[in-house]
Amino acid sequence: MSEIGRVVIVGAGQAGGEAAIRLRQLGFKGEITLIGEEPLAPYQRPPLSKKYLSGEMPLDRLLLKPPEAYADENITLITGKRVVWIDRAQKKARLEGGRELAYDALILATGSKVRELPVAGADLPGVYMLRSAADADALRPVFQPGKRLVVVGAGYIGLEVAAVARTLGLDVTVLEAAARPLARVTSPEVSGFFLEQHVARGVRFELSAQAAVIKGDERVRAVGLKDGREVPCDLVLAGIGILPDVALAETAGIAIEDGIVVDAQMRTSDPSIYAIGDCVRRPLVHYGRTGRLESVHSAIEGGKIAAAMIAGVAPPMEEAPWFWSDQYDLKLQIAGLSAGYDQLVLRGSMEKRAFAAFYLKDGKLLAVDAVNSPAEFLGGKRLIERGASVAPAALSDMSKPFKEIMTAALA
């Protein structure tokens, strides 16, 4: 067991909360202090644009654990406070207000911040972003039937919000600078499927369209496009992505490269400081490169790895990256990263709204997008983790259960 006695975790999101609890589960007996800027105990962010926004999920179910669970585990939880300085030489973290906390190991779980719309009028009342529970709480009362909503950005968050809004009876227009939705993360075939599903439910899309200005006096009334057209609206939701929150690490002189640079053990350029979650650029062991993973998977896994290293035990085996998105009654589950694929194999039926898209490069499986197809997601994830090559004809063979196909490929 390590001789580390004091651990300070900066950031009380899913990654930070996971690391704190995991340390105790691994038998760490020292001091653990978990510090978060928000007033809440650690909570899940994915439901913010789904069931929490729609009102289906109450706040207590959003929390990862009841607040008292941290006290029960002898974890000091400090909420509503920001860490403003790290003194690496003295191994101290300073909170706003001047309080300093000594550490033997520090975990940065500072997460990410939303990209703000870079246009005039983005600060008008009626323009919203969605990153925190407070953001969702502000949106929920204005999501009223008949209201006109413009969603800027057709990524996962934008489409999830559009789905909730249409289900609640809002009039929805989605603006997307790319030629198709989900262009950064999936294939044209899967993009087209989701585009059709939204259009069938009354969502309007303006593709290859960019917002130039948000118009209004006391409140937003329209979004002006670069081609001169206007889209009238009562509400605007900016969903144009996130940026890693690296300010604290950068000020402390820790290596940064589109995220806090960490090794496979989640250590930064300072061996006493770890970093986990959305804020890091980490080795992607299944792909032979580094990258940022904006996902629950990365938050949980990073927390487990950092906790294991501090507790002096073997870290867990790394999973293939996984993600998910709920839109209407469609559950999209993604395993792996499809960038660089040279072959797409479809299994199942888009018409029946249950299918999987497999992405291969030189015969090796890179990723799978599974829509209402959990067996293909789970099996595909395992194949990616094992670095398996699978014959395209086998992947598309609906006469066999996918578990049988997976077992044969791994034999």
Side-chain angles (χ1 to χ4, degrees), residues 20-268:
I21 294 296
R22 181 63 56 160
L23 278 166
R24 289 294 186 234
Q25 291 174 342
L26 294 175
F28 180 76
K29 303 298 184 185
E31 297 176 13
I32 302 174
T33 304
L34 177 60
I35 308 161
E37 292 186 29
E38 295 185 56
L40 297 175
Y43 63 87
Q44 311 168 68
R45 292 193 189 277
L48 295 180
S49 56
K50 308 177 186 78
K51 290 188 175 182
Y52 187 73
L53 181 60
S54 70
E56 296 177 61
M57 176 182 284
L59 180 61
D60 61 344
R61 285 185 53 210
L62 195 67
L63 299 177
L64 295 173
K65 288 183 176 296
E68 58 270 18
Y70 299 92
D72 293 344
E73 294 284 357
N74 196 24
I75 296 167
T76 301
L77 175 61
I78 301 173
T79 59
K81 286 289 184 181
R82 188 165 60 95
V83 175
V84 296
W85 183 258
I86 299 170
D87 185 336
R88 291 169 52 198
Q90 298 297 318
K91 290 190 174 182
K92 291 181 179 179
R94 184 183 305 156
L95 280 66
E96 55 188 350
R99 180 182 175 188
E100 292 187 342
L101 297 172
Y103 66 84
D104 299 306
L106 180 74
I107 301 176
L108 295 174
T110 48
S112 56
K113 52 190 178 181
V114 294
R115 292 180 184 269
E116 297 184 4
L117 283 174
V119 300
D123 57 349
L124 279 170
V127 179
Y128 297 85
M129 294 183 288
L130 183 55
R131 185 63 185 158
S132 68
D135 293 336
D137 289 342
L139 268 174
R140 285 165 71 173
V142 298
F143 262 35
Q144 300 169 359
K147 291 283 188 181
R148 299 168 299 173
L149 169 68
V150 169
V151 177
V152 183
Y156 291 130
I157 296 295
L159 294 187
E160 288 164 3
V161 171
V164 170
R166 279 303 297 145
T167 301
L168 294 176
L170 280 75
D171 181 274
V172 181
T173 301
V174 176
L175 306 181
E176 171 54 50
R180 58 186 175 89
L182 301 174
R184 203 167 56 90
V185 294
T186 195
S187 62
E189 291 84 352
V190 175
S191 286
F193 171 79
F194 279 96
L195 177 62
E196 290 175 3
Q197 296 301 311
H198 280 274
V199 169
R201 287 164 174 81
V203 178
R204 290 183 295 277
F205 282 81
E206 294 287 350
L207 301 173
S208 301
Q210 289 183 271
V213 63
I214 298 177
K215 299 184 177 183
D217 299 315
E218 295 183 359
R219 280 190 66 84
V220 61
R221 63 170 177 79
V223 176
L225 306 183
K226 284 197 172 181
D227 64 8
R229 291 179 296 141
E230 286 189 8
V231 182
C233 61
D234 306 298
L235 310 166
V236 174
L237 186 283
I240 58 172
I242 59 177
L243 297 167
D245 190 345
V246 301
L248 186 63
E250 194 166 31
T251 302
I254 294 169
I256 305 293
E257 185 185 340
D258 184 34
I260 303 171
V261 178
V262 298
D263 62 16
Q265 287 76 47
M266 301 295 140
R267 282 196 179 93
T268 69

